[in-house]
Amino acid sequence: MIVTGLFRMRRNSVKVQDYLQQFNHSGAVEYVGVHVRRTDYPAFFNHHFQVVNPVDERFFIYCMNHFRSRFDRVKFFVTSDDLTWCEEKLSGQPDVYFPKLNTNTTNTPQQDFIMLSQMNHSIFDYGTFGYWTAALAGGITMVATNYSKKKHQSEAAIINWSPKTWIKVDIQQLLKTNQSINQLSLISLN
């Protein structure tokens, strides 16, 4: 079982590397992995931690604009358990990609994990999946905070012990801004 898993991991790593290779043709580009958790986690969080400000597309657009202002050349690779929502809310920019590594099916969680861990930087909303891929990727990480009345253990750890390169985006502050979604500028939210 372990050996079979290792072979699948290797096969998935090759698929990810082959996919990313098509973007590596002209100079230095910063790759940013974006993990969007939409199906099960928000309901779980709401039930157990009383979410008052669910993370929506404004968080992801704000974070993408941050990276765009910081780097000359950047590409965003969005993975999610709800890719349809992501394509509706986050597409329209030439630097945003929705990797499809399999011909007739969605990516497996293992493929998304490998993809995200291969990035230079990360954006994620909730959960340990995004946390671990960001930790493995290194670089700058932008993560949502202050979206619920009670703090989940992983959010508390991020707030209190995250690496210096992690930028905590206060969702309550972000939602208070009066900027249109396409004009979300870089205000200090952490």
Side-chain angles (χ1 to χ4, degrees), residues 96-110:
V96 178
Y97 301 89
F98 303 92
K100 292 181 176 59
L101 303 175
N102 304 313
T103 307
N104 296 322
T105 61
T106 59
N107 296 348
T108 66
Q110 296 87 351

Side-chain angles (χ1 to χ4, degrees), residues 22 33 64 73 77 97 109 123 129 145 164 174:
Q22 68 183 307
M64 289 176 180
R73 298 186 63 215
F77 297 91
Y97 301 89
I123 299 168
F129 190 93
T145 61
K164 291 180 182 185
L174 179 64

Side-chain angles (χ1 to χ4, degrees), residues 8 20 47 80 98-99 158 175 180 190:
R8 266 190 245 126
L20 292 175
H47 178 73
S80 178
F98 303 92
I158 288 167
L175 297 179
S180 74
N190 50 2

Side-chain angles (χ1 to χ4, degrees), residues 173-184:
Q173 290 295 103
L174 179 64
L175 297 179
K176 287 180 186 175
T177 66
N178 290 324
Q179 297 174 331
S180 74
I181 197 161
N182 293 323
Q183 300 298 321
L184 284 172

